[in-house]
């Protein structure tokens, strides 16, 4: 079968690559993630079963000629084999594996199955103990798939895509209304559309728009600053929030996020140099305006949106997903800051709200990871707290009021500057939790194509942060028997709403952007499964 020849040619390179990097990964894993060995032991039986199950399928695929007319279920079933062949072709371009060692478990699986994919954003990805850990962002893989590979064969035809997708999108599990679009990333040409210009509730696929707008307004290297400022005349110490929701108070920060403990240590050192051991402590959260409570009300999916918080105001040890939240994130963060200052010999008053003056002296500051990393974590984990923070940061950059409405206006303004199709679109938040949000399949695919445009390299994290089917984030447990490692997509779910938008590499090696939006669904699990089958069919489609 011609499609498998690159796999056979690349396989020796994959093996040599794995042998070369394994010693370095082992050393790094021991230093950085002691628990990785236990995770690897847990996943090994699963890997062996998966390899045993997949290899016979690939062998059968190699022996069976492609029929002229293939039923829709056969496109879905063929996705795994096609993905293995394609991934092997580009595996050597994906390196080097990240030096932190966090990729060890997934590397073993990738070598075994000849596939690759993932993101290195440093935080929790949603991967379970039974699945592989996140992989590094790999622009080189995207370049290989979206560049050279896209010149091998022509893009799929609209008629062929309709033959494959129409029956799948007609599934009654997808509700009474659905829209869809498929676009060739290399050319930007729309190949398939079904109501693509009709705006529907996008749910969390809104985060793709938030990501592109924030990256466009601020740049991929922008960082959020949390600082401690001293009012010299009153000896008031002000903890000034810069809007970083990833600021952490935890002792063991394995993700490289800004540390409140580090800020306290630096601040204490600076105070002692000035012979100050007692201060009046306050906090400044005035960077943001308006209500902190989302229109959906108090909800475990989102903390009050404050310019000052630690660990997303979670009251448990989780790093992603729903969790109980504190009602006053800024005050709680400042109380934690006071405890850390006390550990270094600085006594404080009970903290209260204030505003740092222009005369205040900055004693210390900590920086968030670059915006590119925040975007990747937001997309991979569908992180609502980061999404709302980025909407407000975009509002500040666009000189809008930093509240829910201002964030929506700023997102629209940035996308308009990029020349994206905004007819029918409405933005009322950054996360997609607001049911009043509206996006079209045309806009979602255009966002993805724009993020892949070489003329806009700062937008690339909107692609590299997308969850990888079967590997990371909200797709960790999905596509286990389909296009794992080949589909990268942002999910969206609200009551009666299921959406999916991302990229896929088809059987001919074309990088395609797609968006599927549905409404009035009644069974979330059935709708999710139907969307996954549709994306898998697109991956398996040799429709050129």
């Amino acid at each position: 079968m011609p499609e498998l020849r690159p796999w056979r040619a690349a396989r020796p390179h994959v093996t040599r690559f794995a042998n070369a990097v394994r010693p370095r990964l082992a050393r790094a894993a021991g230093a950085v993630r002691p628990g990785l060995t236990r995770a690897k032991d847990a996943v090994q039986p699963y890997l062996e079963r998966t390899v045993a199950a997949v290899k016979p399928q690939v062998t059968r695929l190699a022996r069976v000629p492609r029929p002229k007319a293939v039923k829709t279920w056969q496109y879905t079933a063929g996705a795994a084999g096609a993905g293995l062949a394609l991934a092997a072709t580009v595996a050597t371009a994906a390196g080097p594996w990240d030096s932190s060692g966090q990729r060890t478990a997934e590397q073993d699986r990738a070598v075994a199955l000849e596939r690759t994919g993932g993101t290195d954003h440093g935080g929790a990805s949603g991967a379970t103990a039974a699945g592989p850990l996140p992989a590094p962002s790999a622009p080189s893989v995207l370049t290989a798939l979206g560049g050279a590979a896209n010149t091998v064969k022509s893009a799929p035809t609209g008629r062929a895509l309709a033959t494959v997708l129409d029956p799948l999108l007609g599934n009654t599990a997808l509700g009474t209304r659905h829209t869809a679009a498929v676009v060739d990333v290399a050319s930007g040409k729309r190949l398939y559309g079904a109501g693509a210009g009709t705006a529907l509730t996008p749910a969390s696929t809104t985060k793709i728009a938030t990501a592109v707008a924030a990256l466009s307004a601020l740049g991929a290297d922008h960082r959020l600053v949390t600082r401690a400022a001293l009012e010299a005349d009153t000896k008031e110490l002000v903890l000034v929030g810069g809007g970083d929701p990833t600021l952490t108070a935890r002792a063991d920060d394995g993700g490289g996020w800004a540390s409140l403990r580090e800020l306290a240590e630096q601040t204490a050192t600076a105070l002692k140099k000035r012979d100050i051991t007692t201060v009046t402590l306050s906090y400044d959260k005035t960077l943001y305006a308006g209500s902190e409570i989302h229109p959906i009300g108090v909800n475990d999916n989102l903390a009050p949106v404050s310019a000052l918080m630690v660990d997303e105001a979670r009251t448990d040890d989780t790093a992603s997903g729903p969790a109980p939240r504190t009602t006053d994130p800024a005050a709680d963060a400042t109380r934690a800051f006071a405890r850390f200052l006390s550990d270094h010999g600085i006594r404080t008053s009970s903290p209260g709200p204030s505003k740092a003056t222009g005369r205040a002296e900055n004693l210390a500051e900590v920086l968030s990871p670059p915006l590119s990393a925040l975007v990747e974590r937001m997309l991979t984990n569908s992180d609502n707290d980061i999404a709302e923070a980025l909407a407000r940061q975009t509002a500040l950059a666009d000189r809008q009021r930093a509240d829910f409405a201002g964030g929506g206006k700023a997102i629209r303004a940035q996308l308009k500057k990029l020349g994206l199709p905004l007819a029918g679109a409405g933005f009322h938040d950054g996360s997609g939790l607001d049911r009043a949000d509206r996006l079209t399949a045309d806009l979602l695919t255009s966002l993805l194509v724009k993020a892949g445009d070489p003329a806009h390299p700062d937008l690339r994290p909107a692609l590299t942060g997308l969850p990888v089917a079967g590997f990371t984030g909200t797709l960790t447990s999905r596509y286990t028997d389909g296009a794992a490692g080949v589909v990268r997509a942002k999910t969206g779910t609200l009551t009666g709403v299921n959406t999916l938008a991302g990229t896929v590499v088809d059987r001919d090696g074309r990088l395609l952007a797609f968006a599927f939006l549905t409404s009035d669904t009644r069974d979330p699990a059935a709708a999710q499964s139907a969307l996954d089958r549709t994306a898998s069919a697109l991956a398996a489609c040799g429709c050129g």
Side-chain angles (χ1 to χ4, degrees):
M1 189 172 183
E3 289 84 351
L4 294 179
R5 290 173 186 164
W7 178 25
R8 297 192 181 107
R11 195 168 187 176
H13 300 290
V14 175
T15 301
R16 287 196 297 272
F17 175 77
N19 291 337
V21 301
R22 186 171 281 115
R24 186 178 67 170
L25 281 170
R27 291 193 299 272
V32 179
R33 288 186 179 270
L36 191 57
T37 300
R38 292 192 298 273
K40 180 178 174 182
D41 291 341
V43 79
Q44 192 65 38
Y46 168 75
L47 302 183
E48 293 172 355
R49 290 195 300 271
T50 304
V51 173
V54 169
K55 284 194 173 180
Q57 296 174 15
V58 176
T59 302
R60 289 195 298 272
L61 283 171
R63 294 172 181 169
V64 178
R66 187 195 306 179
K68 292 183 179 180
V70 184
K71 297 179 181 179
T72 54
W73 68 266
Q74 290 174 302
Y75 283 103
T76 303
L84 297 181
L86 175 66
T89 306
V90 299
T92 55
W97 305 105
D98 65 320
S99 59
S100 71
Q102 78 177 73
R103 180 86 187 318
T104 302
E106 186 177 341
Q107 182 218 12
D108 286 349
R109 187 181 184 192
V111 170
L113 301 182
E114 287 84 23
R115 70 187 181 208
T116 184
T119 60
D120 180 6
H121 47 68
S125 70
T128 63
L133 295 172
S137 303
S140 56
V141 173
L142 288 173
T143 300
L145 299 181
N150 268 4
T151 63
V152 176
K153 293 189 178 182
S154 60
T157 65
R159 179 176 297 180
L161 286 175
T163 300
V164 174
L165 299 179
D166 283 352
L168 293 169
L169 290 170
N171 190 327
T172 57
L174 295 180
T176 58
R177 291 189 297 169
H178 69 265
T179 65
V182 178
V183 176
D184 178 40
V185 173
S187 67
K189 178 183 177 182
R190 192 174 80 187
L191 307 174
Y192 173 85
T198 300
L200 295 179
T201 302
S204 278
T205 55
T206 298
K207 293 182 176 74
I208 299 174
T210 302
V212 170
L215 290 164
S216 177
L218 298 163
D221 295 328
H222 181 76
R223 295 172 185 262
L224 308 181
V225 182
T226 306
R227 60 192 177 94
L230 180 67
E231 301 285 0
D233 52 346
T234 63
K235 298 297 186 289
E236 178 188 9
L237 180 66
V238 186
L239 179 61
V240 184
D244 179 10
T246 66
L247 178 69
T248 183
R250 292 170 181 167
D252 182 18
D253 172 29
W257 313 110
S259 171
L260 189 67
R261 292 171 182 269
E262 179 184 344
L263 182 63
E265 181 179 0
Q266 293 177 14
T267 301
T269 299
L271 287 170
K272 289 176 180 178
K273 286 182 178 179
R274 292 162 176 78
D275 294 324
I276 299 173
T277 57
T278 302
V279 295
T280 299
L281 182 62
S282 60
Y283 57 88
D284 182 349
K285 61 174 183 176
T286 61
L287 183 66
Y288 293 166
S291 173
E292 294 183 347
I293 304 301
H294 191 281
I296 64 172
V298 176
N299 192 290
D300 283 355
N301 285 294
L302 178 66
V305 183
S306 172
L308 177 61
M309 64 170 64
V310 291
D311 299 308
E312 298 183 341
R314 295 171 181 272
T315 60
D316 57 19
D317 293 330
T318 61
S320 63
R325 313 301 181 101
T326 64
T327 58
D328 193 345
D332 285 351
T334 311
R335 283 191 281 268
F337 188 59
R339 292 195 298 273
F340 299 150
L341 287 173
S342 178
D343 291 341
H344 293 283
I346 303 297
R347 295 188 299 274
T348 67
S349 64
S350 296
S354 184
K355 180 175 174 58
T357 69
R359 301 183 304 276
E361 177 189 4
N362 281 347
L363 296 185
E365 64 181 29
V366 288
L367 306 180
S368 75
L371 186 64
S372 57
L374 299 184
V375 163
E376 286 192 333
R377 175 170 166 175
M378 173 187 72
L379 292 173
T380 300
N381 294 342
S382 198
D383 192 304
N384 298 307
D385 299 282
I386 296 178
E388 296 303 345
L390 295 188
R392 277 166 164 70
Q393 294 291 331
T394 304
L396 291 168
D398 199 54
R399 299 185 178 180
Q400 301 280 354
R401 191 166 188 261
D403 58 9
F404 286 106
K409 291 177 182 177
I411 290 170
R412 185 180 187 89
Q414 290 299 320
L415 301 188
K416 184 177 180 180
K417 290 178 183 179
L418 292 170
L420 295 168
L422 292 170
F427 303 95
H428 298 273
D429 65 1
S431 62
L433 289 172
D434 197 320
R435 300 182 71 89
D437 291 335
R438 294 290 184 271
L439 294 184
T440 65
D442 264 345
L443 176 54
L444 283 167
T445 51
S446 295
L447 286 162
L448 296 165
V449 170
K450 186 67 71 173
D453 187 344
H456 296 278
D458 269 6
L459 304 183
R460 187 55 63 86
L463 291 181
T464 58
L466 293 173
V468 181
F471 281 91
T472 59
T474 54
L475 292 185
T476 299
S477 59
R478 292 168 64 168
Y479 296 88
T480 54
D481 58 352
V486 181
V487 172
R488 307 182 70 123
K490 182 70 199 75
T491 58
T493 306
L494 293 172
T495 302
V497 173
N498 292 84
T499 60
L500 191 69
T503 62
V504 64
V505 182
D506 74 2
R507 194 164 64 180
D508 290 333
R510 301 292 302 194
L511 183 64
L512 308 176
F514 69 88
F516 307 135
L517 295 90
T518 71
S519 64
D520 302 322
T521 58
R522 296 186 177 183
D523 184 338
Q528 174 181 293
S529 179
L531 289 178
D532 289 351
R533 286 195 298 271
T534 306
S536 293
L538 188 59
C541 184
C543 303

